[in-house]
């Protein structure tokens, strides 16, 4: 078990955005989180990645409690994430997005940088190698030296996943990786997520489009108004009455 | 082979270097050389400002405060008998240390709050400089600061700094050193992390970059170079007064930086030299020249937000495209 979330709760004033939610993610699996708008999915990711602190509850990464740590500390511990509205360093070239995302795995300091010591060069080689490896993985090898602004929507989403991978994470959290994409592009991203699984990467993905997730995820958890209302295999979820009522009623039956 | 390539790629810089070395011969006027030398001192300060404001995106208005700490530090230490060559790094380190403690609380604030907080620090420095009479000489400041000590050289004797040319070379040396340090910083993962923090602080955190520590590092290095510039300034001007901490000085650097091109290596130097030259030639306008700067600044922000350097780069790209097209056409005709 890589990630375990226990009775996670987050209150915004009077609003219980996440209410006593517990779940876990096994090594190498894809866990999907689904739920209608405002269900609290993104908030769960913000809590896990340290952008928000829980009102109560705990988060364990490989058994070690991490709630309360700051985002950069959690990233160093091995949790990477993407954002619902694609976040990239759009003032940097494509490859530099990945090189800078690998900085947390380097050990050189300021003096190494100024004197370009052997350690600095070794780290640079390592980061570049990792960046190229990731670029190849997400299919952006030819775009390495381009500015981010020249990438298409889908390429930017790929790069965002690449940025997460460049941190050498133990688990990747993907927040609606296909949001705003047309059908073809969506398929491309789905193929990439399958490729992640094949490569042994542990993934927790938020996805709106229920159909997409059905043949991708091992397990699904369903949030509604901050509560976990169901958990199970895609099959079980699609047969779950509470889920059908709360969420699938319109979309899935149609 | 490698050396050949080096020259082929870097020849414009070598020409610039030769030109820089020839400046005292090209401008025999003591006055002009003095203006150029002081511009180079300010270019060092502006390069520091560029790191925190340009690359890291934090609008620090405390830079003149650190310049003043460097200036007063060198003034007091050299008057107490310490060698300039020891006083200068000590004063710059003092500026850096103070900036560390100023940065701890202020860098927790964002955007205009940080600008205002650092502005306050600058004002405090200038008030302290103006009123702590026993230490700083109050509003008259400190006079009779010694020139940098001569550097003894075996065989040749020693190199003194009484001539304007020697002073110019001294400053040029420090300017090149500053450029070298900035070049190494900016062209590294460390430099990328400065830009990453400027660009998207939330994402920077998500990939494990400690944005606060990164800003603090940038701020401290920037202040170190403000201190270096201030120290040299004091020693060459032979006197300091609370003016060195003034908002005007700070404002000038911001103008140099924005017009030259923030977030580029050449920008601060080009901006400082170009605007200083412009200021000199606009002397007849007296205080109205601020009006001209204001207009220039607005125009620059609207039409070329990356400053002169950005303009030249864009122009260069256009020329290259045009040239390639011409060459393409010609080879079509010939082929
Ligand atoms: N920082 C915040 N401050 C106040 N309220 C917030 C904050 N973040 C989220 N919320 C509220 O918490 C609730 C859950 O939001 P969240 O973004 O987690 O939903 P979501 O499941 O990701 O929805 P969507 O599918 O639209 O992305 C919403 O009502 C939202 O308005
Ligand atoms: Mg969301």
């Amino acid at each position: 078990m890589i990630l375990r979330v226990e009775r996670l709760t987050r209150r915004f004033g009077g609003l219980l955005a996440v209410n006593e939610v517990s779940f876990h993610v096994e090594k190498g699996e894809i866990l999907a989180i689904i739920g209608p708008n405002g269900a609290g999915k993104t908030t769960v990711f913000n809590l896990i990645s340290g952008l928000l602190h829980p009102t109560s509850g705990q988060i364990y990464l490989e058994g070690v409690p991490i709630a309360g740590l700051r985002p950069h500390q959690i990233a160093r511990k091995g949790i990477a994430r993407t954002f619902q509205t694609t976040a990239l360093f759009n003032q940097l070239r494509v490859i530099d997005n990945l090189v800078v995302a690998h900085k947390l795995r380097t050990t050189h300091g300021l003096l190494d940088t100024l004197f370009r010591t052997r350690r600095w060069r070794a780290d640079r080689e390592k980061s570049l190698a990792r960046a190229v490896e990731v670029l190849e993985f997400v299919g952006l090898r030819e775009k390495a030296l381009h500015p981010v602004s020249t990438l298409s929507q889908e390429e930017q989403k790929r790069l965002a996943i690449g940025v997460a991978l460049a941190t050498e994470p133990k688990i990747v959290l993907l927040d609606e990786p296909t949001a705003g994409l047309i059908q073809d592009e969506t398929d491309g991203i789905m193929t990439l997520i399958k490729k992640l699984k094949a490569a042994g990467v542990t993934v927790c993905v938020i996805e709106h489009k229920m159909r997409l997730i059905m043949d991708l995820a091992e397990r699904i958890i369903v949030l509604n108004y901050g509560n976990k209302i169901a958990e199970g295999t895609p099959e079980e979820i699609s047969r779950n009455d509470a889920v059908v009522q709360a969420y699938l009623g319109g979309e899935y039956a149609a | 082979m490698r050396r050949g390539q080096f020259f082929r790629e870097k020849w414009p810089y070598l020409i610039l270097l030769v030109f820089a070395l020839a400046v005292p011969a090209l401008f025999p006027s003591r006055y002009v050389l003095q203006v150029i030398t002081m511009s180079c001192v300010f270019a060092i300060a502006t390069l520091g400002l560029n790191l925190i404001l340009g690359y890291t995106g934090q609008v620090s208005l405390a830079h003149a405060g650190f310049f003043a700490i460097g200036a007063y530090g060198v003034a007091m230490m050299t008057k107490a008998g310490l060698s300039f060559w020891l006083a200068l790094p000590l004063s710059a380190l003092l500026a850096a240390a103070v900036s560390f403690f100023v940065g701890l609380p202020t860098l927790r604030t964002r955007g205009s709050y940080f600008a205002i907080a650092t502005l306050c620090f600058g004002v405090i420095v200038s008030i302290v400089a103006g009123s702590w009479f026993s230490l700083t000489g109050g509003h008259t400041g400190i006079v009779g600061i010694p020139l940098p000590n001569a550097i003894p050289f075996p065989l040749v004797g020693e190199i003194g700094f009484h001539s304007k040319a020697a002073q110019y070379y001294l400053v040029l040396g420090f300017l090149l050193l500053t450029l070298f340090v900035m070049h190494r910083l900016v062209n590294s993962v460390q430099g990328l992390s400065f830009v990453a923090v400027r660009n998207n602080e939330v994402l920077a955190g998500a990939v494990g970059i400690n944005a606060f520590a990164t800003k603090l590092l940038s701020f401290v290095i920037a202040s170190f170079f403000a201190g270096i510039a201030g120290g040299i300034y004091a020693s060459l001007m032979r006197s300091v007064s609370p003016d060195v901490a003034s908002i005007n000085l700070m404002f000038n650097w911001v103008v140099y930086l924005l017009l030259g091109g923030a977030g580029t290596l050449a920008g601060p130097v080009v901006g400082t030299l170009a605007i200083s030259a412009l200021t000199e030639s606009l002397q007849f306008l007296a205080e109205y020249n601020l009006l001209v700067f204001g207009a220039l600044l607005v125009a620059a922000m609207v039409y070329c937000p990356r400053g002169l350097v950005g303009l030249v780069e864009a122009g260069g790209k256009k020329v290259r495209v045009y040239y390639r097209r011409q060459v393409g056409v010609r080879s079509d005709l010939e082929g």
Side-chain angles (χ1 to χ4, degrees), chain A residues 7 13 22-23 47 50 53 63 86 109 127 130 135 138 181 229-230 246:
Chain A
R7 301 172 70 106
S22 303
F23 65 92
L47 291 167
H53 294 327
T86 318
S127 293
R130 177 68 183 169
L135 277 180
V138 300
L181 296 184
I229 58 167

Side-chain angles (χ1 to χ4, degrees), chain A residues 72 76 89-91 114 116, chain B residues 184 187-188 198-199 205-206 208:
Chain A
H72 69 269
R76 282 171 200 195
F89 299 117
N90 54 17
Q91 296 168 1
L114 292 182
R116 299 213 162 155
Chain B
R184 287 247 155 139
N187 293 301
S188 71
R198 169 187 84 190
N199 192 172

